[in-house]
Amino acid sequence: MKHKGRKLLGVVLTLLLILNLATAAGAYVDPSGVELWMIAGQIMEEDKVVTVDLPDEVDIAFAFDLTGSMSYIIDTAKDNADDLMDELDGWGGPLGVDFDYGVISYMDYVGTFSSCGYSNTYGYDDDYPYRLDQAITSNNAWVEDAIDDLELGSGGDGPQDYTRIFYESYADPNIMWRSSADKILLNFGDNVPHDCNLNEGVPGKVGTYSTGVDPGRNGFIGGGDDLDLQPVLHTMATEGIKLLESHTTFSHSEYWEYWTGITGGDVFITTGGSAWLDDVSMAIKKSIAWVDDLHFEVHPCFSEYEDWLVYTDYYSGWVEEPVEMMIELGVPPCTPAGENFFVLIAVDGDGMVYGEQEVTIYVEPTPIAIDIKPGSYPNSINLKNKGVIPVAILGSEIFDVMMVDLETVMFACAEPAPMDPEYEDVNMDGYLDLVLHFYTQEVCIDPGDTEAALTGGTMCGYCFIGIDSVRTVPNK
């Protein structure tokens, strides 16, 4: 049965891709599979450990909006860039995470543009839409110098050419991302991008919100390389570039939460000054080693087993160490005996999958209490007798004898004799019992046997079994 589960898991991993479930590289659940033997209605706790392997390399490209409104943030970045890189390097070193950095700057396209019902001056003569000031490097001094050399421009209207910066993050080979590194574009901005409809895809937004087309590299609209925000963000995600967006206010935060979320990133607020270093370093660390609402779910391919996961822990916090979690699995009442296979996934609040676990549950017949020849002990059975053997199925808090399907009951291979069933409390415990009779000459009890079993099913489909002692006469 185990091999069957492994084959199914191969199918499941393929379906993870088909269903577009994002998976965290290197993350896994321990143990990778469990086999449980349970009965209908039973609930069992299971301990899990979720391990997230942190990346060996992280490349961060700092992108700075140099329009006039950003002067305070730019000054703060110049004062704190060296300390920020030292902080990240000091944190990453013991965890085996190696950081490299680069610098990008921009203002906006020079000129007045009209498109999509929007017309305004994007930027002025000394502005530029994109510049790579420092390729990704391990030399922090070069990065600090590039930031120190940044100079403010003007900028025209409020929206900026952020889409161009996002595009260049994967289109410009001179950025020199390391091939095996996790890639982060950290953009310091304060407005929204140019786009024909910023509302596209944003939850709760309707209608059209136009800030005009981003003209692309050739700098004029309709030249064949105009940029559309949504496809650009999705390409960033495909290329493994995570967008972190730093703003000084919550203006348009609902938009940026959606846009950064497409790439697996986030937006955060920093007010500059002394808080800037802590705000930025924390945002970067959390993008690498933090999880929100990590929990277990039944894999969508096995949705018929959703109610078998009765409880799951939720965890929000650092994942620098393996995360211990607990779940409860329960077999629904009326589940028939047999093998059941499904897959659990560890997933966070954003839908990122951190590993899978095979679950095989063998549902066994529910054990019940029976009393052979109620009121007598030992339960002597004369195998030469031509009469019947009374057997009581004892009711309890968890077993209602009124649910017994009489056509399924067998006692030692024999079906009930054609006699009316008797419903009474034979053991005086306050629960109704069921007494059935079986022909002695039909039971499969041999001389010397010391116990006999009664089996059956309920009207809702699950099986039960009860065993009681016997004393055979003659006994050999």
Side-chain angles (χ1 to χ4, degrees), residues 22-24 27 50-54 91 242 264 266 282-296 313-325 346-355:
T23 57
V50 181
T51 299
V52 179
D53 284 345
L54 301 184
W91 173 77
K242 182 183 298 184
D266 203 356
M282 181 60 69
I284 294 171
K285 292 174 186 177
K286 290 182 72 171
S287 75
I288 297 167
W290 180 276
V291 65
D292 283 313
D293 293 331
L294 181 66
H295 63 284
F296 280 87
D313 281 343
Y314 276 75
Y315 172 80
S316 295
W318 298 105
V319 290
E320 297 154 309
E321 300 291 337
V323 179
E324 296 181 357
M325 303 185 69
V347 60
D348 69 13
D350 294 323
M352 178 71 71
V353 176
Y354 290 83

Side-chain angles (χ1 to χ4, degrees), residues 182-186 236-237 240-244 260 263-266 286-288:
D182 277 19
K183 304 170 184 63
I184 297 174
L185 176 67
L186 174 49
M236 286 183 69
I241 301 172
K242 182 183 298 184
L243 173 62
L244 292 183
T260 56
T263 72
D266 203 356
K286 290 182 72 171
S287 75
I288 297 167

Side-chain angles (χ1 to χ4, degrees), residues 165-292:
I165 310 310
F166 305 156
Y167 167 77
E168 296 293 355
S169 72
Y170 58 82
D172 184 355
N174 296 314
I175 293 177
M176 300 295 290
W177 301 108
R178 289 177 289 180
S179 60
S180 59
D182 277 19
K183 304 170 184 63
I184 297 174
L185 176 67
L186 174 49
N187 184 49
F188 295 93
D190 65 354
N191 212 291
V192 294
H194 288 291
D195 193 70
C196 278
N197 186 13
L198 296 179
N199 285 342
E200 180 184 351
V202 181
K205 300 299 181 181
V206 296
T208 300
Y209 177 10
S210 175
T211 53
V213 169
D214 186 306
R217 285 180 170 179
N218 64 18
F220 61 91
I221 293 173
D225 66 349
D226 297 349
L227 297 175
D228 186 347
L229 175 62
Q230 296 280 343
V232 167
L233 290 171
H234 283 286
T235 304
M236 286 183 69
T238 300
E239 296 295 325
I241 301 172
K242 182 183 298 184
L243 173 62
L244 292 183
E245 186 74 19
S246 172
H247 282 209
T248 57
T249 72
F250 288 98
S251 178
H252 299 100
S253 60
E254 69 274 27
Y255 288 90
W256 283 108
E257 287 173 2
Y258 172 73
W259 294 330
T260 56
I262 291 174
T263 72
D266 203 356
V267 59
F268 65 98
I269 305 300
T270 179
T271 55
S274 60
W276 185 90
L277 177 60
D278 291 338
D279 292 340
V280 176
S281 64
M282 181 60 69
I284 294 171
K285 292 174 186 177
K286 290 182 72 171
S287 75
I288 297 167
W290 180 276
V291 65
D292 283 313

